[in-house]
Amino acid sequence: MAMMPSKSALLWFLIVVTNHVSEAAGRPKWRLTLAEDESLRSCHDRTVSFRSKETSRPELGAGPEPGDLAAAFKVPTLDGEFSYEPNALRASSLVIHAFTNKSGFLESLWSSESSLSSLVEGLPDRTQVLFASLDDSALSDALWMREQLQRAAARSNKKEVLSRLHFSPVPVFALGNWIPSVLYNWGCMGHNCGLSQAVFTSHGWKMPIITKRLDARYDWLMARWQPKSYQLVDAGDGCQHSPSVAGAVVWVSEGNCSFFTKVLNMAKSNASGVLVCSLPGNPIQDMNCVGDECYTPLSIPAAMVHQEVSISQALRVGQVVNVSFQTTPSPNFFISIDQKGALAEMGWFLYPTFSFINWQAQWFEFFADLQIKLQSPAEVVSVFDKIQMQGEKGAVATVDLPLGLWDFDTLELDASLSCPGSRDSSCAQWDHTVQLFVCCDHLGPYCNTELGRWITAFRRGIGRWLTDVSPLIPLLDSNKCTFTMKTVPWAKPWIVSLNLRFSASNQTALCVTGDSVEKLRPFRVMSLYSGGTFDRNYNKRYQPVKFPVPSLTKKVELYAVITGHGSDENGCGEFCVTSHHFLINAVFNNTRIFDSAGTALGCTMRVKEGAVPNEHGTWLYGRGGWCDGLQVNPWRTDVTKQLDMSGLESNTVVYFGLFDGKDPNPAQQPGNIIMSSFLVFYK
Ligand SMILES: *[C@@H]1O[C@H](CO)[C@@H](O)[C@H](O)[C@H]1NC(C)=O
Ligand SMILES: *[C@@H]1O[C@H](CO)[C@@H](O)[C@H](O)[C@H]1NC(C)=O
Ligand SMILES: *[C@@H]1O[C@H](CO)[C@@H](O)[C@H](O)[C@H]1NC(C)=O
Ligand SMILES: *[C@@H]1O[C@H](CO)[C@@H](O)[C@H](O)[C@H]1NC(C)=O
Ligand SMILES: *[C@@H]1O[C@H](CO)[C@@H](O)[C@H](O)[C@H]1NC(C)=O
Ligand SMILES: *[C@@H]1O[C@H](CO)[C@@H](O)[C@H](O)[C@H]1NC(C)=O
């Protein structure tokens, strides 16, 4: 239970985006656009006003953009000097973090033990981090940041990480190099920049009191503050119902009961929102639900602020205090340089933890390894080279395939999805399914068969993936084929590149030794089942298929690409555990279970495989056979031993899909399964 995404998130979503419900096929429903997010709006507007057009290069002098090579720089540090030379990093990446204690988000990031431990325990070995401060207090900030991490490193017994962490006592505004221009000019979306604040006014005061705030965890409380003035009312520790707070924002103190209890009590008392003030000396914390609490939907916003004596006093003497909410733009807090020396954005930090730095750094490692893989010998056929994919048509190209395909037994898809502009702010939202179809024989039964599937990275333009689809080589049995890559027609445009990489597995071994081990090659595919609406009739649609094994076949493989989408009352098929079974000859139960679906961090585990990290929305949750910003890996099983290979007898196969080991039986809004499945014959 504790691992599931909160039900409140689901309910909120269904209420807010019911206008999207008709977009059933393939459209995940459990995320929300951040258009309502105040911090997004302000930062985004700022970006636009600095740059005439998202798709164009910025004006001269505006500084480097993501993808540009970072110039050399030197920064004084507490231990001496940090010096960056292009090419010198090579195997390592660099994250630059600009701290300011004016941000409640950063205060929490730097105060939480779990956040600090995640950095010292999880920072990839090849990553360095340079910490600086945006403020006059840079020296004391640097000393404090170092002390926080030294303590965390000692606690975790990970002191070796400290040699890769560098602390600048010189404030960002005095660095004199290109770093400030990148921090100041790169807008951001969400928490990575912008100062979220609460503004308190009272007739007795000459000036408003403006404090930093940190809104409750995004996927716990999705209600947002309205752009208006609320009356503020004191409710002690908020651990009991409070009769006279209807319509007001309640001011409650930390402690005596959970954040959840406070917000629940105040919601039941018809309050409009909750401000929890920290106890004296305590930092602002990331308010979240715990365990079963997460299943109670709550529809009022809440935030944490520091205790302010004048506010408490004014409330105590019955003075009217109003509160409103704002986000003041700020420089970006995080930028980075990848292993090849290219500047990069850091994406969106869903909540205050250094894990988001680790995930981005893990992705840099993945990407560096991918570039090495792409240098291995292969016959490369370019299908799309930075082509816009949008609308019903998608991206379409007809290409000539190399002669002598028979020499190759490996086919990999090298695909990337980038955005119209250089910044992530120009990228399309949502995690939509992208499918690649191929047609080599316009009259044949396999015209427009699915060759590959990916899921878009919600507002991030860095995704690039290599997918082995070798068993489907027989589909390319022609010297000219047409490729179509599409996502849902209403999605904003993506810029796609796709290369087919044909190679012979283990080429060197073969050439050198003239290996006597026989190499098997797929020569025929037989299409099996596709998915459909995951309702009580789901399995009634599948009839057993009878087939003889073609003569000369040495090996038979089951090949399936399966993803679950949509959301019934159990979160099926995106967030529920479904299992998929191909029963061969009535006895062999080939089973695939999506057991990380619905886990809180399931997709973070796959960043090392290329899942794009730090996307918008809740990319972290495990899903039914897929992750945001990742290819869908084909499921391959050798079924040779399960078959009568003589070619004389027929074999049978039948598919069925289950939820919780049973036929699905949703009470509402059934989800759907997208599936391509084949038997592949090798000789
Ligand atoms: C950050 O600010 C809070 C109050 O706003 C204060 O209690 C804390 O000591 C500050 N931390 C640092 C490192 O300055
Ligand atoms: C508080 O807001 C109300 C309206 O929402 C307004 O009438 C009142 O003047 C405000 N009071 C202060 C102290 O700002
Ligand atoms: C917590 O409860 C105790 C006992 O009821 C009370 O004295 C104290 O003021 C409460 N703490 C806060 C922060 O309200
Ligand atoms: C909250 O509002 C509901 C609906 O308007 C009302 O029935 C209920 O009595 C109110 N509760 C409190 C504690 O004010
Ligand atoms: C390549 O061939 C060698 C020797 O035949 C074998 O040991 C090795 O596992 C093969 N590698 C792969 C990736 O198939
Ligand atoms: C196949 O396995 C699943 C669970 O692993 C089970 O629920 C199902 O009944 C099995 N089917 C058959 C026909 O054995």
Side-chain angles (χ1 to χ4, degrees):
M1 292 283 273
M3 292 298 280
M4 293 284 287
S6 74
K7 280 259 160 59
S8 58
L10 173 63
L11 293 177
W12 187 89
F13 186 88
L14 292 176
I15 292 160
V16 171
V17 289
T18 39
N19 56 324
H20 288 300
V21 166
S22 59
E23 306 171 352
R27 187 182 168 286
K29 289 185 184 163
W30 203 330
R31 249 115 317 83
L32 66 157
T33 156
L34 287 183
E36 299 77 13
D37 190 309
E38 193 193 347
S39 53
L40 164 65
R41 200 164 45 233
S42 58
C43 289
H44 190 66
D45 291 350
R46 195 167 57 100
T47 310
V48 172
S49 66
F50 269 106
R51 307 184 65 206
S52 48
K53 250 206 290 176
E54 280 190 328
T55 49
S56 68
R57 304 286 297 176
E59 314 82 88
L60 278 179
E65 288 291 299
D68 291 350
L69 289 182
F73 67 86
K74 290 186 167 75
V75 169
T77 66
L78 293 176
D79 307 310
E81 185 180 69
F82 179 82
S83 165
Y84 173 82
E85 288 292 336
N87 303 324
L89 272 181
R90 282 256 166 250
S92 62
S93 58
L94 175 69
V95 172
I96 302 175
H97 167 44
F99 172 73
T100 173
N101 200 26
K102 298 183 174 89
S103 158
F105 181 85
L106 293 183
E107 184 189 329
S108 170
L109 177 87
W110 277 97
S111 308
S112 139
E113 291 207 355
S114 65
S115 166
L116 294 161
S117 312
S118 72
L119 187 74
V120 297
E121 290 172 15
L123 187 70
D125 292 344
R126 293 189 281 168
T127 305
Q128 315 250 341
V129 189
L130 174 63
F131 300 98
S133 165
L134 292 165
D135 302 326
D136 280 321
S137 52
L139 173 58
S140 61
D141 288 346
L143 289 166
W144 178 72
M145 289 189 279
R146 185 172 66 176
E147 192 192 309
Q148 292 293 83
L149 288 170
Q150 280 172 339
R151 271 197 292 109
R155 226 171 26 231
S156 306
N157 204 12
K158 290 275 180 193
K159 289 200 176 157
E160 65 278 5
V161 73
L162 296 171
S163 66
R164 291 184 283 125
L165 309 179
H166 314 278
F167 303 87
S168 166
V170 176
V172 168
F173 59 76
L175 286 178
N177 53 31
W178 56 263
I179 294 174
S181 91
V182 171
L183 291 169
Y184 298 163
N185 286 313
W186 287 13
C188 84
M189 292 172 283
H191 291 129
N192 307 22
C193 68
L195 306 173
S196 297
Q197 295 156 342
V199 181
F200 302 90
T201 53
S202 180
H203 286 309
W205 304 339
K206 288 209 181 72
M207 290 209 316
I209 295 175
I210 301 173
T211 69
K212 56 188 165 187
R213 71 169 211 270
L214 176 61
D215 288 342
R217 185 76 73 93
Y218 165 81
D219 48 351
W220 170 40
L221 291 186
M222 285 182 169
R224 304 282 103 181
W225 299 108
Q226 298 304 307
K228 65 168 201 179
S229 187
Y230 299 86
Q231 198 184 336
L232 190 68
V233 172
D234 190 319
D237 60 13
C239 297
Q240 281 84 40
H241 289 224
S242 204
S244 52
V245 300
V249 166
V250 278
W251 175 256
V252 301
S253 59
E254 176 192 355
N256 284 353
C257 61
S258 72
F259 294 127
F260 168 80
T261 305
K262 294 177 201 288
V263 178
L264 177 68
N265 286 337
M266 295 308 126
K268 283 186 176 158
S269 308
N270 293 343
S272 293
V274 181
L275 282 181
V276 179
C277 53
S278 63
L279 293 173
N282 280 6
I284 287 182
Q285 293 163 54
D286 176 30
M287 295 198 288
N288 197 7
C289 53
V290 179
D292 286 351
E293 289 176 352
C294 300
Y295 292 89
T296 302
L298 295 169
S299 57
I300 58 172
M304 191 153 187
V305 295
H306 280 287
Q307 178 70 267
E308 286 289 334
V309 176
S310 14
I311 296 172
S312 307
Q313 270 171 359
L315 292 174
R316 203 169 312 126
V317 300
Q319 222 175 300
V320 174
V321 177
N322 284 357
V323 62
S324 60
F325 299 90
Q326 65 182 21
T327 299
T328 299
S330 79
N332 208 312
F333 302 142
F334 304 96
I335 57 172
S336 54
I337 302 176
D338 74 11
Q339 265 96 339
K340 291 190 95 182
L343 286 162
E345 290 177 283
M346 293 284 287
W348 192 65
F349 289 29
L350 179 64
Y351 51 91
T353 168
F354 281 110
S355 293
F356 291 91
I357 284 187
N358 298 343
W359 290 322
Q360 180 66 29
Q362 282 175 6
W363 187 84
F364 286 144
E365 299 210 336
F366 157 80
F367 193 59
D369 292 344
L370 177 66
Q371 281 161 324
I372 292 167
K373 279 188 196 148
L374 291 174
Q375 277 157 23
S376 64
E379 175 92 28
V380 177
V381 178
S382 170
V383 178
F384 303 121
D385 184 13
K386 303 208 177 82
I387 297 297
Q388 176 166 310
M389 172 181 72
Q390 196 182 21
E392 296 287 350
K393 192 162 172 279
V396 184
T398 300
V399 300
D400 295 325
L401 294 183
L403 297 172
L405 271 186
W406 190 251
D407 296 341
F408 304 118
D409 63 0
T410 301
L411 168 59
E412 290 166 308
L413 305 176
D414 165 18
S416 70
L417 288 176
S418 58
C419 307
S422 56
R423 307 240 185 112
D424 284 346
S425 56
S426 71
C427 300
Q429 324 124 297
W430 300 110
D431 40 1
H432 289 303
T433 305
V434 174
Q435 290 173 290
L436 174 70
F437 301 98
V438 64
C439 180
C440 300
D441 171 3
H442 287 268
L443 302 172
Y446 289 102
C447 177
N448 286 333
T449 301
E450 188 186 35
L451 189 61
R453 192 184 306 167
W454 299 262
I455 309 293
T456 59
F458 193 140
R459 289 219 116 140
R460 294 218 70 191
I462 58 176
R464 185 161 181 179
W465 312 275
L466 197 58
T467 315
D468 185 347
V469 298
S470 306
L472 300 186
I473 285 181
L475 292 176
L476 306 187
D477 186 19
S478 169
N479 51 18
K480 209 182 251 314
C481 298
T482 299
F483 295 85
T484 305
M485 199 163 173
K486 299 186 193 197
T487 184
V488 292
W490 57 87
K492 285 184 84 207
W494 288 96
I495 307 301
V496 305
S497 292
L498 173 70
N499 289 325
L500 309 178
R501 295 176 58 86
F502 293 96
S503 58
S505 60
N506 225 344
Q507 264 169 338
T508 30
L510 270 185
C511 302
V512 174
T513 63
D515 205 334
S516 61
V517 176
E518 211 177 353
K519 287 189 61 170
L520 297 179
R521 195 183 179 285
F523 72 98
R524 185 180 295 177
V525 298
M526 184 182 113
S527 185
L528 292 176
Y529 301 96
S530 49
T533 306
F534 199 58
D535 59 11
R536 54 207 286 266
N537 294 318
Y538 182 70
N539 291 314
K540 297 197 179 117
R541 291 190 277 266
Y542 302 108
Q543 301 304 319
V545 170
K546 281 192 176 177
F547 64 98
V549 173
S551 57
L552 300 180
T553 299
K554 297 235 168 59
K555 174 178 146 186
V556 184
E557 204 174 62
L558 174 67
Y559 178 102
V561 177
I562 309 172
T563 52
H565 305 270
S567 189
D568 64 17
E569 76 276 18
N570 299 306
C572 289
E574 181 170 356
F575 291 116
C576 73
V577 176
T578 57
S579 60
H580 303 270
H581 309 269
F582 286 83
L583 189 68
I584 291 188
N585 288 333
V587 271
F588 300 101
N589 197 349
N590 299 283
T591 298
R592 175 93 206 256
I593 304 177
F594 295 143
D595 45 14
S596 76
T599 58
L601 295 173
C603 282
T604 67
M605 312 291 179
R606 301 194 61 197
V607 173
K608 290 174 181 164
E609 296 166 46
V612 173
N614 304 0
E615 292 172 53
H616 287 248
T618 54
W619 65 276
L620 307 89
Y621 300 158
R623 287 169 164 80
W626 56 277
C627 286
D628 292 30
L630 187 61
Q631 84 272 9
V632 181
N633 282 331
W635 169 41
R636 293 169 63 172
T637 311
D638 187 337
V639 296
T640 316
K641 296 208 169 80
Q642 305 172 11
L643 299 174
D644 181 311
M645 298 289 286
S646 69
L648 303 172
E649 300 289 329
S650 265
N651 295 282
T652 62
V653 57
V654 67
Y655 160 83
F656 52 97
L658 305 176
F659 163 58
D660 219 3
K662 294 193 273 294
D663 279 329
N665 190 18
Q668 59 181 47
Q669 290 190 319
N672 66 302
I673 303 294
I674 305 180
M675 175 164 72
S676 309
S677 59
F678 305 92
L679 286 172
V680 182
F681 302 96
Y682 290 76
K683 65 182 178 193

